[in-house]
Amino acid sequence: MPDNVARPSLTPIRGALGMSVAMGMGRFFYTPALPLMVAALHWSSAPGAWIATLNYVGYFIGTLVIAQGWVEPNRFVYRLSLIVSTLGLAAVALTPNLIWQGGIRTIAGIASGLIFVCVTQRIPANSRRPRDGGISYGGVGFGILVSGAIVLAAGSFADWRQLWLICAAVSAVFSIIAWTWPIPARIPQHPTLADPTDTTTNRSPADTTRPNTDDPAEAATPFDANRRRAMAVLSTGYFFQGGGYIIIGTYLVVLAGPVFGATAAASTWLIAGIATAASPLTWSAVAARIGTVKALTLCYCLQVFGALLAVFGSSPVVLIIAAALFGFTFIGVVMMTIGVGTQLGVANASAKLTSWYSIGQIVGPAVVAAALSEHIAAAFVASAIALAIAMVLTLVGVLAGNVGR
């Protein structure tokens, strides 16, 4: 069916499956598959951590090239990235060579970042009902759920190579459906709001009541100075959030391995996927009811508690609760923080915050690989500390920005 006559009722589902391809499978299938790969290939924790880090480097590159305007997030880029992400899943099965694995996961990360931006930036334009955006964001959780289900269902009879090929086949089916997500062949250039870190950028017509930052005499207004400070603090908090959450996302199944067994440990990832799928609509409703500051505080507290709970995860019940808290909170923090950045009137706030988030995702697994690879429980303590710092900085940034919540 041509793009311009695609059924509007299926549009959020297409966006959700695009997010599933990019995030739930393209990025996060590695998490439930890692224990089986470690067992089969006799890896220590370090190779897995470094390969994960390279995937996050790729994701950072994918978001950065769009944020800097080097690549246009258009239909061609979106569709090519769907293909690359799917082929990247299959390519992991070709050889266990660490250089190959690292290279493929880097390319897969780039594709994931490009798809994520191509989908999320079009969610407002493609949403016809209030819940449509939540459905599209919920695709992250659905993809995580599918990733865990593949390993849980097939891990007892399929080896690690076959698991990656099964995931690639599912990704191909999802990509076919997501192919017609409405996105222009060319992205029109629009004026943007002034960047608080750059007082020379142009502003949109909606921002014409603000001081003319092209005029040095008017650039350093209290409004702009306050906005710069708020965005800087918010970005720093988002960096710690990225680093803290990704340690949980990468090592939760590894931590569950001795408790559940290598294959059954994927059940924790399945629980995380279910919770993540339910998260966007839930936190939107919570923020609307009690305000962003209180909602962010609650979301962060639950996330920190989940990280600490995993440290004491000697029983299946405790690990399942930790997995549910992880899935239920990380998308909530993402949605609300990006929402605050957008309200600050910052040009490309989503892309810029995501870049800081991506840097945190690179640093988190790298720290584990360098210093904590043999002490996974200690890595979760480090995650909890990073998330607590993120909570404080994020709330300070929200309050400093005087966001009307």
Side-chain angles (χ1 to χ4, degrees), residues 212-270:
N212 178 11
T213 54
D214 292 335
D215 184 345
E218 296 182 328
T221 65
F223 174 85
D224 287 330
N226 182 69
R227 192 168 53 157
R228 282 195 295 270
R229 286 193 298 269
M231 188 63 179
V233 175
L234 199 66
S235 298
T236 306
Y238 213 44
F239 163 81
F240 280 99
Q241 162 65 21
Y245 115 88
I246 203 59
I247 292 174
I248 306 174
T250 303
Y251 294 103
L252 180 63
V253 177
V254 175
L255 192 68
V259 178
F260 288 88
T263 299
S267 61
T268 58
W269 200 236
L270 197 69

Side-chain angles (χ1 to χ4, degrees), residues 350-374:
S350 177
K352 290 172 182 176
L353 283 169
T354 302
S355 294
W356 281 100
Y357 195 77
S358 300
I359 296 172
Q361 290 180 129
I362 295 168
V363 172
V367 169
V368 173
L372 301 171
S373 61
E374 304 303 324

Side-chain angles (χ1 to χ4, degrees), residues 82-107:
L82 288 174
I83 295 171
V84 171
S85 183
T86 299
L87 292 178
L89 291 169
V92 171
L94 294 180
T95 173
N97 179 274
L98 291 177
I99 295 176
W100 173 264
Q101 293 283 327
I104 288 298
R105 295 302 292 157
T106 302
I107 294 171

Side-chain angles (χ1 to χ4, degrees), residues 350-404:
S350 177
K352 290 172 182 176
L353 283 169
T354 302
S355 294
W356 281 100
Y357 195 77
S358 300
I359 296 172
Q361 290 180 129
I362 295 168
V363 172
V367 169
V368 173
L372 301 171
S373 61
E374 304 303 324
H375 306 281
I376 298 301
F380 279 77
V381 174
S383 170
I385 293 172
L387 292 172
I389 295 172
M391 177 176 67
V392 173
L393 290 173
T394 300
L395 294 176
V396 169
V398 172
L399 295 173
N402 293 319
V403 176

Side-chain angles (χ1 to χ4, degrees), residues 25-319:
M25 291 180 287
R27 291 197 70 200
F28 288 132
F29 184 73
Y30 188 73
T31 298
L34 182 59
L36 295 175
M37 296 178 73
V38 168
L41 302 174
H42 306 292
W43 284 355
S44 67
S45 297
W50 285 117
I51 292 172
T53 299
L54 289 172
N55 181 250
Y56 306 139
V57 170
Y59 184 77
F60 170 68
I61 294 171
T63 58
L64 182 66
V65 295
I66 291 181
Q68 296 296 318
W70 300 332
V71 171
E72 187 179 75
N74 56 29
R75 187 182 305 156
F76 172 78
V77 170
Y78 169 67
R79 291 177 173 178
L80 177 62
S81 299
L82 288 174
I83 295 171
V84 171
S85 183
T86 299
L87 292 178
L89 291 169
V92 171
L94 294 180
T95 173
N97 179 274
L98 291 177
I99 295 176
W100 173 264
Q101 293 283 327
I104 288 298
R105 295 302 292 157
T106 302
I107 294 171
I110 294 172
S112 295
L114 292 172
I115 296 170
F116 182 81
V117 174
C118 287
V119 172
T120 56
Q121 78 161 11
R122 296 293 302 172
I123 285 177
N126 292 338
S127 296
R128 298 292 180 265
R129 298 163 297 181
R131 66 177 181 271
D132 284 356
I135 292 172
S136 293
Y137 271 107
V140 177
F142 181 66
I144 291 174
L145 189 157
V146 170
S147 294
I150 289 171
V151 175
L152 196 61
S156 59
F157 60 84
D159 64 18
W160 68 272
R161 296 174 189 267
Q162 293 167 330
L163 290 174
W164 281 96
L165 292 175
I166 292 170
C167 187
V170 175
S171 179
V173 173
F174 283 14
S175 294
I176 291 171
I177 301 172
W179 192 261
T180 52
W181 168 254
I183 183 170
R186 294 294 304 273
I187 305 298
Q189 298 299 312
H190 295 295
T192 56
L193 293 173
D195 183 344
T197 62
D198 180 3
T199 58
T200 63
T201 54
N202 294 324
R203 295 183 304 281
S204 69
D207 199 41
T208 54
T209 59
R210 294 176 183 169
N212 178 11
T213 54
D214 292 335
D215 184 345
E218 296 182 328
T221 65
F223 174 85
D224 287 330
N226 182 69
R227 192 168 53 157
R228 282 195 295 270
R229 286 193 298 269
M231 188 63 179
V233 175
L234 199 66
S235 298
T236 306
Y238 213 44
F239 163 81
F240 280 99
Q241 162 65 21
Y245 115 88
I246 203 59
I247 292 174
I248 306 174
T250 303
Y251 294 103
L252 180 63
V253 177
V254 175
L255 192 68
V259 178
F260 288 88
T263 299
S267 61
T268 58
W269 200 236
L270 197 69
I271 295 296
I274 295 171
T276 305
S279 175
L281 291 175
T282 303
W283 285 111
S284 294
V286 171
R289 185 174 181 83
I290 66 175
T292 297
V293 173
K294 291 181 181 178
L296 267 171
T297 302
L298 176 60
C299 193
Y300 262 116
C301 286
L302 290 174
Q303 195 174 40
V304 172
F305 177 69
L308 291 175
L309 195 63
V311 176
F312 304 100
S314 57
S315 72
V317 173
V318 171
L319 285 171

